[in-house]
Amino acid sequence: STEDEIHSGTMSFRVGDRIMQTKNTEHVSNGDLGFIRYVKDTPEGKRIGMDFGVGRELEYGIEDLSHIEMSYATTVHKAMGSEFPIILIPILEAHKIMLYRNLLYTAVTRAKKLLILVGQQQSVAQMVANNRKTLRYTNLAYFLRKCNGILEE
């Protein structure tokens, strides 16, 4: 129903939507994840209730909605410093400009329980071999060889 949603620009937010804070405030930080608990009408206008975890339930007005975005999926960079139970990473030749080892390392280390790589094996191999952006010393190539049989020994 329209009571359970609020619009800001081209975005529509609904009760139950997963959201990400995109600006630091006194109560939440850029990158914090939460969900929308309620949308209600008040004499001052529509208000949106958000839950960012224990002790961090906030209420925003429509003017504050520019500081949140949907978070059903996110980028590796926005996930920096966070962990998730399941990570799904598409790795395709079409993403050639981003096929760097350090990006893969960051993405892989966000997964707490399950990591799923979807795409082309040759692109994963290219990514592991490409340390031109930032040289890092990790066991990522060994891990991928051992666990997935993707790369040649």
Side-chain angles (χ1 to χ4, degrees), residues 19-34 52 56 58 60 67-68 78 82:
I19 54 169
M20 176 184 284
Q21 179 76 19
T22 59
K23 182 179 179 183
N24 290 331
T25 70
E26 183 180 337
H27 303 288
V28 290
S29 300
N30 182 18
D32 283 353
L33 299 172
F52 288 98
R56 295 185 314 149
L58 304 175
Y60 281 1
H67 304 308
I68 63 169
K78 286 184 180 179
S82 299

Short mmCIF file of all heavy atoms in Angstrom, two decimals, residues 19-34 52 56 58 60 67-68 78 82:
data_model
loop_
_atom_site.label_atom_id
_atom_site.label_comp_id
_atom_site.label_asym_id
_atom_site.label_seq_id
_atom_site.Cartn_x
_atom_site.Cartn_y
_atom_site.Cartn_z
N ILE A 19 18.66 -1.43 3.24
CA ILE A 19 19.22 -0.13 2.91
C ILE A 19 20.66 -0.01 3.40
O ILE A 19 21.10 -0.75 4.28
CB ILE A 19 18.38 1.02 3.50
CG1 ILE A 19 18.21 0.82 5.01
CG2 ILE A 19 17.05 1.16 2.78
CD1 ILE A 19 17.64 2.01 5.72
N MET A 20 21.38 0.96 2.82
CA MET A 20 22.73 1.29 3.25
C MET A 20 22.81 2.80 3.47
O MET A 20 22.35 3.58 2.64
CB MET A 20 23.75 0.88 2.20
CG MET A 20 25.19 1.28 2.57
SD MET A 20 26.38 0.90 1.27
CE MET A 20 26.53 -0.86 1.48
N GLN A 21 23.39 3.20 4.59
CA GLN A 21 23.65 4.60 4.88
C GLN A 21 24.83 5.04 4.01
O GLN A 21 25.82 4.31 3.89
CB GLN A 21 23.98 4.76 6.37
CG GLN A 21 24.29 6.16 6.79
CD GLN A 21 23.05 7.04 6.91
OE1 GLN A 21 21.94 6.55 7.01
NE2 GLN A 21 23.24 8.34 6.92
N THR A 22 24.75 6.21 3.41
CA THR A 22 25.82 6.68 2.53
C THR A 22 26.51 7.94 3.05
O THR A 22 27.35 8.51 2.35
CB THR A 22 25.28 6.95 1.11
OG1 THR A 22 24.25 7.94 1.18
CG2 THR A 22 24.76 5.67 0.47
N LYS A 23 26.17 8.37 4.26
CA LYS A 23 26.82 9.54 4.85
C LYS A 23 26.95 9.32 6.36
O LYS A 23 26.02 8.84 7.01
CB LYS A 23 25.99 10.79 4.57
CG LYS A 23 26.61 12.05 5.11
CD LYS A 23 25.79 13.28 4.80
CE LYS A 23 26.48 14.50 5.40
NZ LYS A 23 25.72 15.71 5.20
N ASN A 24 28.10 9.68 6.91
CA ASN A 24 28.29 9.58 8.36
C ASN A 24 27.39 10.56 9.08
O ASN A 24 27.22 11.71 8.66
CB ASN A 24 29.75 9.88 8.72
CG ASN A 24 30.70 8.81 8.28
OD1 ASN A 24 30.35 7.63 8.20
ND2 ASN A 24 31.93 9.20 7.99
N THR A 25 26.78 10.07 10.17
CA THR A 25 26.01 10.94 11.05
C THR A 25 26.42 10.62 12.48
O THR A 25 27.29 9.78 12.71
CB THR A 25 24.48 10.70 10.91
OG1 THR A 25 24.15 9.42 11.45
CG2 THR A 25 24.02 10.82 9.46
N GLU A 26 25.77 11.23 13.43
CA GLU A 26 26.07 10.98 14.84
C GLU A 26 25.76 9.53 15.24
O GLU A 26 26.42 8.96 16.09
CB GLU A 26 25.25 11.95 15.70
CG GLU A 26 25.51 11.84 17.18
CD GLU A 26 24.67 12.82 17.97
OE1 GLU A 26 24.22 13.84 17.41
OE2 GLU A 26 24.46 12.56 19.17
N HIS A 27 24.77 8.92 14.59
CA HIS A 27 24.30 7.60 15.01
C HIS A 27 24.69 6.45 14.08
O HIS A 27 24.73 5.30 14.51
CB HIS A 27 22.77 7.61 15.15
CG HIS A 27 22.30 8.65 16.11
ND1 HIS A 27 22.46 8.54 17.47
CD2 HIS A 27 21.69 9.85 15.91
CE1 HIS A 27 21.96 9.61 18.07
NE2 HIS A 27 21.49 10.42 17.14
N VAL A 28 24.91 6.74 12.80
CA VAL A 28 25.27 5.69 11.84
C VAL A 28 26.42 6.18 10.96
O VAL A 28 26.62 7.39 10.80
CB VAL A 28 24.08 5.26 10.95
CG1 VAL A 28 23.05 4.49 11.74
CG2 VAL A 28 23.45 6.44 10.25
N SER A 29 27.13 5.22 10.39
CA SER A 29 28.28 5.54 9.55
C SER A 29 28.02 5.18 8.10
O SER A 29 27.19 4.32 7.81
CB SER A 29 29.51 4.76 10.03
OG SER A 29 29.81 5.09 11.36
N ASN A 30 28.75 5.81 7.24
CA ASN A 30 28.72 5.47 5.82
C ASN A 30 28.99 3.98 5.67
O ASN A 30 29.98 3.48 6.20
CB ASN A 30 29.77 6.31 5.09
CG ASN A 30 29.78 6.07 3.60
OD1 ASN A 30 28.83 5.55 3.03
ND2 ASN A 30 30.86 6.46 2.96
N GLY A 31 28.12 3.28 4.96
CA GLY A 31 28.28 1.84 4.75
C GLY A 31 27.49 0.97 5.70
O GLY A 31 27.40 -0.24 5.50
N ASP A 32 26.91 1.54 6.75
CA ASP A 32 26.09 0.74 7.68
C ASP A 32 24.86 0.22 6.96
O ASP A 32 24.22 0.93 6.19
CB ASP A 32 25.67 1.56 8.90
CG ASP A 32 26.79 1.74 9.91
OD1 ASP A 32 27.86 1.12 9.74
OD2 ASP A 32 26.59 2.51 10.88
N LEU A 33 24.52 -1.03 7.24
CA LEU A 33 23.37 -1.68 6.62
C LEU A 33 22.22 -1.78 7.60
O LEU A 33 22.42 -1.95 8.80
CB LEU A 33 23.76 -3.09 6.16
CG LEU A 33 24.87 -3.16 5.13
CD1 LEU A 33 25.29 -4.61 4.91
CD2 LEU A 33 24.42 -2.53 3.83
N GLY A 34 21.01 -1.70 7.07
CA GLY A 34 19.82 -1.83 7.89
C GLY A 34 18.62 -2.16 7.04
O GLY A 34 18.76 -2.61 5.90
N PHE A 52 19.21 -0.07 12.08
CA PHE A 52 20.60 -0.36 11.72
C PHE A 52 21.24 -1.29 12.74
O PHE A 52 22.46 -1.40 12.81
CB PHE A 52 21.41 0.93 11.61
CG PHE A 52 21.07 1.75 10.40
CD1 PHE A 52 20.20 2.82 10.49
CD2 PHE A 52 21.62 1.45 9.16
CE1 PHE A 52 19.88 3.58 9.37
CE2 PHE A 52 21.31 2.21 8.05
CZ PHE A 52 20.44 3.27 8.15
N ARG A 56 20.28 1.26 17.36
CA ARG A 56 20.43 2.23 16.27
C ARG A 56 19.20 2.22 15.39
O ARG A 56 19.26 1.95 14.21
CB ARG A 56 21.69 1.93 15.47
CG ARG A 56 22.95 2.11 16.30
CD ARG A 56 24.22 1.95 15.53
NE ARG A 56 24.20 0.78 14.68
CZ ARG A 56 24.84 0.69 13.53
NH1 ARG A 56 25.54 1.69 13.08
NH2 ARG A 56 24.79 -0.40 12.82
N LEU A 58 16.51 4.59 13.84
CA LEU A 58 16.43 6.02 13.53
C LEU A 58 15.16 6.33 12.76
O LEU A 58 14.58 5.46 12.11
CB LEU A 58 17.63 6.43 12.67
CG LEU A 58 19.01 6.13 13.22
CD1 LEU A 58 20.07 6.49 12.19
CD2 LEU A 58 19.24 6.90 14.51
N TYR A 60 13.90 9.09 9.88
CA TYR A 60 14.32 10.13 8.94
C TYR A 60 13.09 10.77 8.31
O TYR A 60 12.06 10.12 8.17
CB TYR A 60 15.14 9.55 7.79
CG TYR A 60 16.60 9.25 8.09
CD1 TYR A 60 17.16 9.47 9.33
CD2 TYR A 60 17.42 8.75 7.09
CE1 TYR A 60 18.50 9.20 9.57
CE2 TYR A 60 18.75 8.47 7.32
CZ TYR A 60 19.29 8.70 8.57
OH TYR A 60 20.60 8.43 8.80
N HIS A 67 20.59 10.25 1.93
CA HIS A 67 21.72 9.62 2.61
C HIS A 67 21.56 8.11 2.75
O HIS A 67 22.34 7.47 3.47
CB HIS A 67 21.91 10.23 4.00
CG HIS A 67 22.09 11.72 3.97
ND1 HIS A 67 23.01 12.36 3.17
CD2 HIS A 67 21.43 12.70 4.61
CE1 HIS A 67 22.92 13.65 3.34
NE2 HIS A 67 21.96 13.89 4.20
N ILE A 68 20.55 7.54 2.09
CA ILE A 68 20.41 6.08 2.08
C ILE A 68 20.19 5.60 0.65
O ILE A 68 19.75 6.36 -0.21
CB ILE A 68 19.28 5.57 3.01
CG1 ILE A 68 17.91 6.07 2.56
CG2 ILE A 68 19.56 5.90 4.45
CD1 ILE A 68 16.76 5.39 3.28
N LYS A 78 32.23 -0.51 -1.43
CA LYS A 78 31.29 -0.14 -0.37
C LYS A 78 31.23 -1.18 0.74
O LYS A 78 30.85 -0.88 1.86
CB LYS A 78 29.89 0.09 -0.94
CG LYS A 78 29.79 1.38 -1.71
CD LYS A 78 28.38 1.62 -2.19
CE LYS A 78 28.29 2.92 -2.95
NZ LYS A 78 26.94 3.16 -3.43
N SER A 82 33.33 -4.55 6.02
CA SER A 82 32.16 -5.33 6.45
C SER A 82 32.36 -6.79 6.08
O SER A 82 33.21 -7.13 5.26
CB SER A 82 30.89 -4.82 5.76
OG SER A 82 30.66 -3.48 6.08
#
